[in-house]
Amino acid sequence: MSEHQLTKDSQTRTLRSWILGFHATHILNVGGRCGYFAELTRRGGAAFSKDLAAALGLDPWRTEVWCRAACTVGVLGYDDARGYTFAPFMDEVLAEDAPDLSMTHTLVSLSRDFFDYPEAFRTGATKPFSSHDADFFSYQGKVSAQRAPLILSVARQLPGMEERLRSGGAMMDVGSGSGTVLAAFAEAFPQCRVTGVEPLPFFQDMSRQMLHSRGLADRVHIEANGGEGMQFAQRFDLITMVQVFHELPDGAKSDILRRCHQSLKPGGMLLLVDRCSPATGADLRNRRFTMSILEQWFEVTWGNIVNTRSEILTMLNDSGFTVSQENADLVPTYWTFVAEK
Ligand SMILES: C[S@@+](CC[C@H](N)C(=O)[O-])C[C@H]1O[C@@H](n2cnc3c(N)ncnc32)[C@H](O)[C@@H]1O
């Protein structure tokens, strides 16, 4: 609808759709956490609420109320003969560990921060990423795990990189989180030496366990450190930094980029994937910036700053890099910068 067609009624309907979205988000979150979607799937996609409740050891009346609510927001349907069913395609979209369901759990987990926003906006208090809890970290880890194959595929397309990594090169992932990028490279390139840099003990443990279970523990080294502590000289062919740059302390970003530059071999590349904040008024209405703007919103009390694309380019150039590629489509909703030494 163009702006001149807007009416008070249409604007009210817009607000009400956001409020409905609030309920829908929580209905999805509870459905995933209670196991309703998984149980419905186990039962071939249809069940009466009393059977769901019995199978999961949950309250039958509350389960019935959840099912009705899931129907009213279009996630489930109802059939007199079979009971509650998935609405079309929702069995796939809401499968266990499916991206949108994991994202819902992550967002509901971090939405606990919003209660403190009014006070924090007054006092400037921060609650950094690292002081969140295991629930948030584990869902965040699942969400980012889904990006690992894409990061590997983007890296493979960098000029000469496949050959370098295949023939005994080395790669490092800075801010390696749950370790899935590390595992993807270690599995794809058996001769490649793989290093993760990760300051958070929760993620160090999570990635070590995952690497152990995939038989990769001996081939991947994790530095229990922030990027501020990296001290490598010309060691790596490739450095990846995925959804980490905006998490770095603002005053440390340039220093960490310089350390990345020092760590790369001549001709080595930094693959930096992150959000870019809007630089103009028009950007505020450009859907390309929506997730960047929202990420800054839900991380504003963490102390994080999402930089603009030109700020990132300046920092890369000042750290000695030559930016050879910039792309806003390779990793959807993120900007991808390829910076060469
Ligand atoms: C949003 S997570 C992304 C994790 C991972 N790169 C991924 O895509 O799955 C941000 C990561 O940056 C890490 N981090 C925060 N501060 C850091 C720092 N100073 N140096 C290196 N990593 C940092 C966090 O611990 C966390 O693992």
Side-chain angles (χ1 to χ4, degrees):
M1 190 180 283
S2 66
E3 249 173 48
H4 68 272
Q5 292 171 301
L6 294 175
T7 63
K8 186 176 168 191
D9 278 351
S10 73
Q11 295 291 60
T12 305
R13 277 197 301 280
T14 299
L15 285 191
R16 287 180 186 165
S17 75
W18 301 133
I19 294 167
L20 193 62
F22 171 88
H23 289 298
T25 303
H26 285 280
I27 291 163
L28 293 177
N29 178 57
V30 171
R33 288 175 187 258
C34 285
Y36 290 136
F37 299 128
E39 185 59 26
L40 205 51
T41 300
R42 272 193 291 278
R43 289 167 174 268
F48 288 96
S49 63
K50 65 175 175 30
D51 298 322
L52 286 179
L56 295 166
L58 296 168
D59 183 85
W61 163 240
R62 292 177 186 197
T63 299
E64 170 63 19
V65 169
W66 178 84
C67 288
R68 292 177 188 177
C71 271
T72 210
V73 295
V75 173
L76 297 186
Y78 184 77
D79 171 328
D80 280 336
R82 300 191 306 144
Y84 290 101
T85 56
F86 279 111
F89 304 108
M90 288 297 177
D91 53 338
E92 290 169 50
V93 179
L94 297 169
E96 207 146 5
D97 292 342
D100 290 280
L101 190 56
S102 296
M103 180 54 82
T104 303
H105 295 325
T106 311
L107 288 177
V108 170
S109 187
L110 71 76
S111 71
R112 290 174 291 178
D113 291 358
F114 296 149
F115 289 96
D116 298 327
Y117 268 31
E119 180 67 0
F121 279 29
R122 199 175 59 73
T123 62
T126 54
K127 178 186 176 187
F129 178 86
S130 56
S131 62
H132 288 73
D133 63 10
D135 181 80
F136 170 69
F137 294 142
S138 56
Y139 280 117
Q140 201 279 332
K142 283 185 183 179
V143 170
S144 47
Q146 287 151 0
R147 269 194 306 266
L150 185 53
I151 301 304
L152 176 65
S153 125
V154 170
R156 282 184 190 279
Q157 292 162 40
L158 300 178
M161 192 52 71
E162 172 104 28
E163 186 48 37
R164 288 173 84 143
L165 298 182
R166 196 187 290 274
S167 54
M171 74 80 62
M172 169 164 73
D173 187 34
V174 177
S176 51
S178 54
T180 48
V181 166
L182 303 175
F185 278 86
E187 281 171 347
F189 299 106
Q191 308 303 325
C192 176
R193 283 160 295 127
V194 176
T195 299
V197 172
E198 175 51 51
L200 199 72
F202 182 94
F203 279 140
Q204 294 158 12
D205 294 344
M206 188 177 179
S207 35
R208 286 194 178 111
Q209 280 168 25
M210 180 273 294
L211 292 164
H212 181 75
S213 72
R214 285 162 75 161
L216 299 168
D218 295 343
R219 299 201 20 234
V220 180
H221 169 68
I222 295 183
E223 291 261 323
N225 219 343
E228 300 87 331
M230 289 187 299
Q231 284 187 325
F232 302 103
Q234 306 205 355
R235 172 109 43 114
F236 300 99
D237 298 275
L238 173 70
I239 297 178
T240 51
M241 198 190 281
V242 184
Q243 217 201 352
V244 169
F245 194 67
H246 71 274
E247 304 271 354
L248 303 174
D250 215 39
K253 285 173 177 165
S254 292
D255 175 55
I256 291 174
L257 288 182
R258 272 191 292 276
R259 287 171 189 270
C260 287
H261 190 266
Q262 278 165 14
S263 307
L264 284 169
K265 296 176 189 168
M269 294 179 201
L270 167 67
L271 179 64
L272 192 159
V273 179
D274 212 307
R275 309 290 192 189
C276 284
S277 72
T280 68
D283 290 347
L284 295 174
R285 293 184 299 277
N286 181 339
R287 300 298 288 175
R288 185 156 267 181
F289 289 92
T290 299
M291 283 316 300
S292 296
I293 292 168
L294 291 179
E295 182 132 4
Q296 179 67 85
W297 155 249
F298 61 67
E299 297 184 5
V300 68
T301 60
W302 302 6
N304 292 352
I305 303 287
V306 178
N307 295 103
T308 62
R309 150 188 178 271
S310 69
E311 286 168 344
I312 296 175
L313 287 171
T314 302
M315 284 187 263
L316 284 167
N317 287 324
D318 290 350
S319 309
F321 283 106
T322 303
V323 177
S324 56
Q325 286 185 47
E326 206 198 320
N327 194 307
D329 298 310
L330 278 178
V331 181
T333 79
Y334 291 86
W335 261 257
T336 300
F337 299 90
V338 178
E340 294 187 29
K341 179 166 179 175

